[in-house]
Amino acid sequence: ILNEAGTLQPVGIVGELCISGVSLARGYHNRESLTLETFVPHPYDTKQRMYKTGDLARYLPDGNIEYAGRMDHQVKIRGYRIELGEVEAALLSIEHVQEAVVLSKENADGQNDLYAYFTAEQSLPISQLKEKLADQIPGYMIPSYFIQLEKLPLTSNGKVNRGALPIPEVGLQTGTDYVAPRTSMEEKLVCIWQDVLKVKEIGVKDNFFDLGGHSLRGMTLVAKIHKQFNKSISLREVFQYPKVEEMAKAIAEAEACGPDYIPAAKEKDVYPVSSVQKMVYLSTQIEGGELSYNMPGILALEGKIDMNRLQTAFQRLIQRHESLRTGFEMIRGELVQVIKPQMEFSMERYKAAPDEVEELFRAFVRPFDLSQAPLLRAGLIELEQDRHIFMFDMHHIITDGASMNIFVEELIQLYDGRELAPLRIQYKDFTEWKLQKEQRERIKRQEEYWLGVFHEELPSFELPKDFARPPVRSFDGKRHNFVLDKTVIQGVKQLEELTESTAYMILFSAYSILLAKYSGQDDIVVGTPIAGRMHEDLQHIIGMFVNTLAIRTAPMAEKTFMDYITETKETMLKAYENQEYPFEELVEKLGVKRDLSRNPLFDTMFVMQNTEQTDIEVDSLAVRPYEQTNTAAKFDLQLTFVIDQDEIQGSFDYCTKLFKKKTISVLAKDYVMILSAILRNPSIPLREIQLSEKVNKSKHLASTIELDF
C-alpha cells in the first residue's frame, strides 16, 4: 500500500496487491456486495478507495515488488498451503514444456489433489517430470496427476479456460508413474495400506509416509501385515522399505512366524490384571491421586435427542465390552479383575445455563470405587430443547486414548441403529494370553534391551522450579495452550523429508533440547506413551493397553541438530521394537528407589495425538467436540501435541505446586524458539540454539532468571 509519504509500504511477508487512488464512483454495476468486497477504503484518504487486484506480492529489500501469484490460486493439500502459480512456474522451467496450468480438485474422499495440465514439444514421461520437479519444489507440491494436451482450452478473451480442462481417468496419480500391483502379495499389501491410510488409489511405487503415514499408523500396518501374511516385519523396516514394492519383497523374504492368535480364556470367577493396570491401581492409592486417572470427555449435541435410543445404545455398548463391566479386588494379596455378566446403567440428567456447564462438569468428575463396576458414568445437560451437553467419565484402569475413541464411535453407531461386528476376544483374554510361555519369552528378550539402555547410572534430572517439591506428589494441575503457526508446520514437514524421520521425532527432539537447556544436563529421560495394540485382534477392544516408554537421549552441546535427530530416530525405533516390556517391571528391575514426591525414572512426558476430532451428523443430531477445562497433573510437566491437517496444537500440562503460570508461558515460548532455530538451520550446533531468557541451572527458577530485555 502507499503510506502517507507516498512510498510503498509492505503489508506483511506476503500481502495482497492493491491499486491506490481509485475513485469512489468506481465499482461493479448492480453488484454492491462485490464492489464493497473489492473496492476497499483507502487508509489515508477518505475520498478514495483501493482496488484489490486478487494478486499476491512480496515487498523486496531493494524496494521492488515481486509478483507471487493469485489469491484464488492458493490451495491447501493435506495441510500444506500451496501457491499453484509456483508449481506452474516450476513446470514451465522444464525443458520442452511450453504451457502449464495446475488445478486443485476434490477427490472421492473429500480431499484435494493437484492436477497438472501441460503442452510440450514432445511426449514427456511422468517419471521425468516428477524427477525434474523434485529438484525445485518440495514433494508435497508435486501434482498427483499429469495430463499432457495438444493445446490448452482458451476463453473468448484468450485466457486459459480452467473449467474446460478434462478430468483424468484414475491411474495417472501420485506424481510417480502409476504401477498397479503385479503379484498377489502386492495386491494384498495395497489393500492393507488403503485400510490404514484411508487412501483409495495406491500404486506399488507410492511411499507410505508421502501418503500420510506416521509412526502410529506404521505400527498398525505392522500388526495387519502379521495378521494377513503370518510374517513379522518391524517398524524400522517400514522406514527402510516405505514403498509397496519394497515392502512386499521384505515380507516375502521374512521368515514365517506362524499365526499370532489370541485365544479366548477359560471361564473363571476372576482374571489376572495387566502390568499397566497394576501401576494405575497403585498410583490411585496415593493420597491426592483419587482423580488423577479419571478420563472424562464432553461433547456438544445439537438437535432432537431420542432418550430411549441413547439409553439402549449405552446398554448394548456395556454388554459388548467386558471392560465396562469390570471391577478390581485384592484377593490373597493379588489384584484381579472381576467381570459382571450383566449390568444396568442409567445416565445422570441436568438442566443448566451455558455458563454453568464448567462447574457442573467439575462436579461430575469424581472418584471411582475401583471394586464397583461399572467404572463409567455418563450425564446429559439440557441447555435448551434441542441443545445438550453429553458428559462421560471412565477410569484409566479400564480405558485408554484409543478406547475413548472406540467408545464414542460405537455409541454413536449403536444410537444410529447400526449393527456392529461381534468381538472375538475381550480384554481378559489379552491378560491371560500375556502369561503364556511364548509371550513371557518375548518380554524377557525385550527386557535385555531396556536394562542395557539404563545400565549406566540413572541421571538425576531436575528442572528449575518456582516452588519446593512437596513431600507427597501433588496432582493439582493447569494447562497452557499454544499453536504452532503454518510456517512452522510447513518447516516441520520439510524437515521430515530431509531427515527421513517423522513429526513426532522432530518435536520430541526439540523438547529434549529444551529440557537440556533448562536443566543444564545432557542425559535426559522423557516418558512417552505407546498405544500397545501390536496385535490386530486388539484394535477394536476397550481396555487399558497403553504402555510407557522411557526414552533416554543425550542432547550434548557439541552435536548438530542433524546428528541429534539421527540418534533420536534410532533410539525411538529401538524403543518401538521393544515396546511390549511393561514400564512398571523396568522400574522394579532397575531397583529405582520409590519416592512419594515424584514419579520413578522421569518426571516429564511427551505425547502426540494424530487423531482428529470431527463433527458427526447422526439422523437429526449433530455431535461436536466441546473444549475441556479439566486438568490433573500426573507428571511435573507434560507436553502434548494434537495434529490435524490445518495446524499443530500444543499444550503444557503442569503441576501448580511446582510451577507458576508465567514460567510455563516462557517455557512454551522457548520451545517454539528452539523449533524455529532448527527449522531455519537443521545443521545448527545445539550450543548455538538460544532461549528467550538466560536460565540459570538452579532448582528455583523464579530467583535465577535474568531478563534480556
Side-chain angles (χ1 to χ4, degrees):
I1 62 173
L2 289 174
N3 61 23
E4 291 176 341
T7 57
L8 284 168
Q9 176 181 320
V11 194
I13 298 173
V14 177
E16 185 172 4
L17 192 63
C18 298
I19 298 175
S20 181
V22 180
S23 166
L24 283 172
R26 304 297 287 272
Y28 290 92
H29 182 60
N30 291 332
R31 300 181 71 183
E32 185 178 354
S33 61
L34 184 57
T35 297
L36 292 173
E37 180 183 335
T38 309
F39 291 82
V40 297
H42 194 291
Y44 307 119
D45 188 348
T46 57
K47 295 180 180 179
Q48 294 186 359
R49 291 185 182 180
M50 293 196 303
Y51 171 63
K52 295 169 67 176
T53 68
D55 297 305
L56 286 173
R58 293 184 181 90
Y59 187 78
L60 301 176
D62 62 5
N64 288 315
I65 293 179
E66 179 187 50
Y67 176 69
R70 294 278 303 168
M71 285 286 288
D72 52 5
H73 292 173
Q74 259 203 1
V75 298
K76 195 186 313 180
I77 304 291
R78 293 188 294 275
Y80 296 98
R81 182 67 65 181
I82 293 173
E83 168 55 52
L84 297 181
E86 199 173 338
V87 185
E88 291 171 358
L91 264 172
L92 287 169
S93 70
I94 297 174
E95 187 180 6
H96 304 305
V97 174
Q98 296 172 315
E99 301 170 290
V101 175
V102 177
L103 301 183
S104 170
K105 293 181 181 290
E106 189 174 292
N107 60 30
D109 294 325
Q111 303 295 319
N112 288 327
D113 287 325
L114 290 183
Y115 293 70
Y117 300 84
F118 65 97
T119 62
E121 298 170 346
Q122 62 187 54
S123 177
L124 296 177
I126 293 174
S127 56
Q128 180 182 329
L129 290 173
K130 182 203 172 186
E131 184 179 342
K132 298 290 185 184
L133 286 174
D135 292 335
Q136 302 180 63
I137 56 178
Y140 60 83
M141 292 178 69
I142 295 175
S144 297
Y145 298 86
F146 291 84
I147 305 96
Q148 184 168 350
L149 303 173
E150 288 187 14
K151 61 180 181 179
L152 298 179
L154 303 177
T155 63
S156 58
N157 61 5
K159 292 184 178 181
V160 175
N161 186 352
R162 294 171 179 265
L165 290 166
I167 301 297
E169 294 185 10
V170 172
L172 296 173
Q173 66 171 11
T174 73
T176 62
D177 289 323
Y178 174 82
V179 179
R182 297 154 298 194
T183 66
S184 172
M185 172 79 75
E186 288 180 347
E187 285 179 358
K188 292 175 182 177
L189 190 55
V190 163
C191 289
I192 294 173
W193 277 38
Q194 289 170 334
D195 183 34
V196 172
L197 297 170
K198 310 304 178 189
V199 174
K200 287 189 176 180
E201 294 297 328
I202 296 177
V204 299
K205 294 187 179 294
D206 285 328
N207 186 296
F208 181 75
F209 297 99
D210 287 348
L211 295 175
H214 46 69
S215 302
L216 181 60
R217 284 177 172 169
M219 286 184 281
T220 303
L221 178 68
V222 167
K224 288 182 178 293
I225 287 172
H226 193 168
K227 184 81 171 180
Q228 176 73 50
F229 300 110
N230 291 332
K231 297 280 190 82
S232 182
I233 69 169
S234 66
L235 183 62
R236 179 189 301 276
E237 289 172 298
V238 174
F239 278 84
Q240 288 176 333
Y241 311 112
K243 296 181 180 180
V244 171
E245 61 181 0
E246 297 171 344
M247 196 174 290
K249 288 180 182 177
I251 295 170
E253 293 171 1
E255 292 185 11
C257 55
D260 196 7
Y261 183 80
I262 299 180
K266 294 179 181 178
E267 290 292 326
K268 297 191 293 187
D269 292 333
V270 299
Y271 298 90
V273 298
S274 63
S275 295
V276 69
Q277 284 181 319
K278 245 183 234 181
M279 181 189 72
V280 170
Y281 185 88
L282 292 172
S283 296
T284 57
Q285 306 307 303
I286 298 174
E287 184 181 351
E290 296 85 356
L291 290 174
S292 61
Y293 284 92
N294 282 50
M295 295 190 70
I298 186 166
L299 297 168
L301 309 181
E302 294 183 11
K304 186 174 179 57
I305 294 179
D306 186 325
M307 288 304 303
N308 289 331
R309 281 170 62 187
L310 187 57
Q311 183 66 39
T312 301
F314 256 111
Q315 285 296 154
R316 292 182 64 190
L317 191 64
I318 290 171
Q319 197 58 37
R320 174 178 171 80
H321 291 279
E322 289 181 352
S323 293
L324 302 181
R325 295 180 273 117
T326 299
F328 298 83
E329 295 179 10
M330 294 293 294
I331 297 180
R332 292 186 292 277
E334 285 291 323
L335 183 66
V336 295
Q337 301 180 66
V338 181
I339 303 169
K340 293 189 176 181
Q342 290 185 336
M343 180 160 291
E344 292 298 317
F345 182 84
S346 60
M347 282 190 301
E348 302 170 18
R349 301 286 301 275
Y350 307 91
K351 279 191 177 183
D355 59 0
E356 297 173 320
V357 170
E358 187 172 334
E359 184 179 347
L360 262 177
F361 186 53
R362 276 200 302 269
F364 173 78
V365 179
R366 53 194 188 269
F368 284 102
D369 179 350
L370 296 186
S371 66
Q372 298 299 312
L375 301 179
L376 158 73
R377 65 175 65 94
L380 197 66
I381 305 174
E382 182 180 342
L383 302 179
E384 50 189 69
Q385 185 174 354
D386 290 332
R387 286 184 63 215
H388 293 78
I389 299 296
F390 173 60
M391 307 179 293
F392 57 96
D393 188 17
M394 287 188 275
H395 199 281
H396 209 347
I397 201 167
I398 63 159
T399 191
D400 55 20
S403 297
M404 297 281 277
N405 291 335
I406 294 169
F407 172 83
V408 172
E409 288 171 9
E410 292 194 351
L411 180 65
I412 291 170
Q413 289 171 348
L414 290 170
Y415 177 85
D416 199 32
R418 281 178 264 176
E419 288 296 324
L420 302 179
L423 297 173
R424 189 184 65 79
I425 61 169
Q426 296 281 345
Y427 189 81
K428 72 173 190 303
D429 305 312
F430 164 74
T431 59
E432 290 276 9
W433 175 69
K434 294 297 284 185
L435 295 176
Q436 290 183 356
K437 180 182 178 182
E438 182 183 347
Q439 302 307 314
R440 292 201 311 270
E441 288 174 350
R442 185 161 78 236
I443 295 300
K444 190 68 178 176
R445 290 193 296 271
Q446 295 188 13
E447 178 183 273
E448 293 175 10
Y449 165 77
W450 287 107
L451 293 180
V453 169
F454 291 98
H455 77 280
E456 296 177 354
E457 183 180 356
L458 297 178
S460 180
F461 177 77
E462 196 71 55
L463 275 176
K465 294 178 288 295
D466 294 306
F467 311 108
R469 186 182 293 277
V472 176
R473 180 155 54 107
S474 170
F475 295 91
D476 295 343
K478 284 188 178 179
R479 176 170 295 167
H480 173 82
N481 295 313
F482 62 99
V483 177
L484 299 182
D485 65 34
K486 294 175 182 176
T487 304
V488 174
I489 296 169
Q490 202 164 62
V492 168
K493 291 176 178 177
Q494 291 172 348
L495 193 55
E496 286 182 70
E497 293 183 20
L498 177 65
T499 59
E500 297 183 336
S501 62
T502 63
Y504 179 94
M505 295 170 181
I506 293 166
L507 297 174
F508 178 94
S509 297
Y511 184 48
S512 61
I513 293 169
L514 175 75
L515 297 175
K517 294 277 185 182
Y518 265 71
S519 66
Q521 298 170 236
D522 56 20
D523 189 356
I524 305 292
V525 182
V526 177
T528 190
I530 195 81
R533 296 173 185 252
M534 290 292 289
H535 199 289
E536 173 64 10
D537 288 350
L538 306 177
Q539 299 303 312
H540 303 290
I541 297 175
I542 291 178
M544 178 49 161
F545 295 98
V546 69
N547 191 22
T548 303
L549 304 181
I551 307 296
R552 189 175 191 176
T553 59
M556 296 175 179
E558 64 271 14
K559 294 177 183 176
T560 67
F561 179 75
M562 287 297 289
D563 293 333
Y564 183 55
I565 185 64
T566 301
E567 288 180 8
T568 303
K569 175 183 174 181
E570 181 65 18
T571 298
M572 287 190 157
L573 287 175
K574 286 180 178 176
Y576 293 152
E577 290 167 3
N578 295 277
Q579 63 175 276
E580 295 174 83
Y581 187 65
F583 173 74
E584 186 62 22
E585 290 188 24
L586 174 62
V587 171
E588 290 180 8
K589 285 288 182 180
L590 292 175
V592 177
K593 186 178 179 181
R594 296 289 182 169
D595 183 345
L596 291 178
S597 70
R598 63 198 311 168
N599 287 280
L601 214 54
F602 54 80
D603 290 303
T604 182
M605 285 279 285
F606 179 87
V607 180
M608 178 170 281
Q609 301 170 2
N610 291 90
T611 53
E612 298 178 43
Q613 285 188 312
T614 55
D615 296 350
I616 303 170
E617 301 287 337
V618 181
D619 200 2
S620 60
L621 189 65
V623 183
R624 296 187 174 89
Y626 190 96
E627 186 177 355
Q628 296 183 46
T629 58
N630 228 52
T631 303
K634 299 182 182 69
F635 300 88
D636 292 0
L637 192 67
Q638 175 173 306
L639 175 57
T640 302
F641 283 110
V642 178
I643 295 186
D644 62 25
Q645 291 184 345
D646 297 316
E647 63 183 13
I648 301 179
Q649 301 171 351
S651 62
F652 276 103
D653 290 351
Y654 60 98
C655 176
T656 54
K657 298 293 186 184
L658 300 176
F659 302 108
K660 294 178 181 178
K661 180 179 179 181
K662 182 181 178 182
T663 298
I664 303 303
S665 177
V666 173
L667 194 77
K669 183 167 68 171
D670 282 333
Y671 178 80
V672 176
M673 286 188 69
I674 290 171
L675 196 55
S676 299
I678 62 181
L679 295 180
R680 284 195 305 270
N681 178 15
S683 296
I684 187 173
L686 301 190
R687 66 159 55 88
E688 293 181 12
I689 298 175
Q690 301 297 311
L691 302 183
S692 60
E693 299 176 349
K694 295 176 183 176
V695 183
N696 192 299
K697 302 170 191 176
S698 168
K699 294 184 180 180
H700 295 284
L701 184 66
S703 62
T704 59
I705 288 182
E706 293 178 54
L707 298 182
D708 283 331
F709 45 88

